[in-house]
Amino acid sequence: MCGRFAQYRIAYEYLDKIDVQLPLPLRGGVNPEPIGRYNVPPRTNALLIHWDLDGMRIEPVPWGYAPWWAQGKRPPAINARVETAATSKFFRDIWSTGRSIVPADGWFEWKKDEQNPKIKQPYFIKLRSGEPMFFAALGQFQRGGMLEPRDGDGFVIITSSSDAGMLDIHDRRPLVLSGECAAHWMDPELPPAEAEELALEHGLGVDEFEWYAVGREVGNVRNEGAQLIAPVSDPLL
């Protein structure tokens, strides 16, 4: 985890949940149409919320990151473990400068058959409240209104351990923050040590989520649409 998620609301619907907690000037334009992505895969652009030099920005950034010294030597990482991200050589340069948020509506996990690992049942996981969720992320991106991407720009989603119930599906899950904690996470004035404490201690608990089996069509990155998050009545597992 995390290898696929949904990001389908209007961008303002995510931003409003953060602005209620910590109003900030918004830089750059925001598309007023729904994003409409129900099957966001790695190595594609996804909307990322982060601090700019004088406000907050939401813009597309590639999902996947590698520091300059690792580029070309291995595929970009798509996840970072919360237990080690603050001190890992791979991520420590962006721990202070690249704390950001992936706004999302849920994510997918695949449950494997213990007897036959080739049999997998996808599940969609979302907040019980039906509200948007905020994945803690780390990234490298442009600032100051310079929207042309650079080589190496990208982000990773921070993951934490799953607890009872969700553990049956997968042992890792995205680190999901409340709107208030998401605002603090992005604050460039928050010391790195306090950001680490926030990440380790203030993610939403498993009881905040619900999950259900969905169709196997989500396994193909070319498939898209709201039908991908519809529950199925006859899951494989």
Side-chain angles (χ1 to χ4, degrees):
M1 200 291 122
C2 169
R4 209 73 63 80
F5 66 91
Q7 192 179 68
Y8 56 76
R9 302 179 199 234
I10 297 171
Y12 279 117
E13 294 184 69
Y14 305 111
L15 294 169
D16 284 348
K17 298 300 180 180
I18 296 179
D19 282 346
V20 167
Q21 311 295 338
L22 182 61
L24 302 170
L26 180 65
R27 303 304 179 191
V30 175
N31 191 329
E33 298 297 321
I35 298 166
R37 298 185 70 190
Y38 293 82
N39 193 12
V40 180
R43 324 298 181 213
T44 64
N45 287 353
L47 288 185
L48 188 75
I49 304 173
H50 65 87
W51 270 90
D52 204 339
L53 298 179
D54 55 357
M56 192 167 60
R57 187 179 293 276
I58 181 169
E59 61 185 352
V61 177
W63 183 11
Y65 165 80
W68 64 268
W69 48 265
Q71 293 173 19
K73 299 179 182 179
R74 52 166 286 182
I78 62 170
N79 298 147
R81 298 175 68 92
V82 69
E83 299 89 346
T84 58
T87 55
S88 165
K89 181 181 178 182
F90 207 83
F91 301 114
R92 63 190 179 196
D93 288 345
I94 56 173
W95 182 264
S96 298
T97 63
R99 295 194 304 269
S100 46
I101 290 293
V102 176
D105 298 288
W107 76 94
F108 298 92
E109 295 290 4
W110 278 258
K111 183 177 181 179
K112 295 181 181 180
D113 188 308
E114 294 182 359
Q115 304 302 319
N116 185 356
K118 292 183 179 181
I119 299 177
K120 301 177 183 179
Q121 171 62 57
Y123 281 78
F124 185 63
I125 304 168
K126 64 178 185 176
L127 286 173
R128 293 185 185 276
S129 65
E131 293 292 315
M133 61 178 69
F134 303 104
F135 298 160
L138 297 171
Q140 175 180 295
F141 33 77
Q142 291 287 46
R143 298 180 187 272
M146 300 176 62
L147 300 182
E148 289 298 320
R150 301 169 296 178
D151 288 342
D153 282 359
F155 71 88
V156 295
I157 294 172
I158 297 179
T159 67
S160 62
S161 296
S162 293
D163 296 323
M166 198 183 295
L167 184 62
D168 294 339
I169 302 174
H170 202 281
D171 62 347
R172 304 291 298 180
R173 62 186 176 99
L175 173 62
V176 180
L177 300 175
S178 67
E180 181 177 8
C181 286
H184 288 308
W185 169 255
M186 291 188 294
D187 187 347
E189 300 299 321
L190 184 69
E194 292 185 24
E196 183 177 12
E197 180 183 0
L198 186 156
L200 290 171
E201 303 294 337
H202 295 284
L204 297 184
V206 167
D207 57 345
E208 300 276 353
F209 302 92
E210 63 181 6
W211 50 91
Y212 53 82
V214 295
R216 287 177 291 171
E217 294 80 7
V218 70
N220 187 330
V221 299
R222 291 174 292 184
N223 291 333
E224 186 55 271
Q227 74 279 1
L228 297 179
I229 64 170
V232 296
S233 58
D234 55 346
L236 296 174
L237 301 172

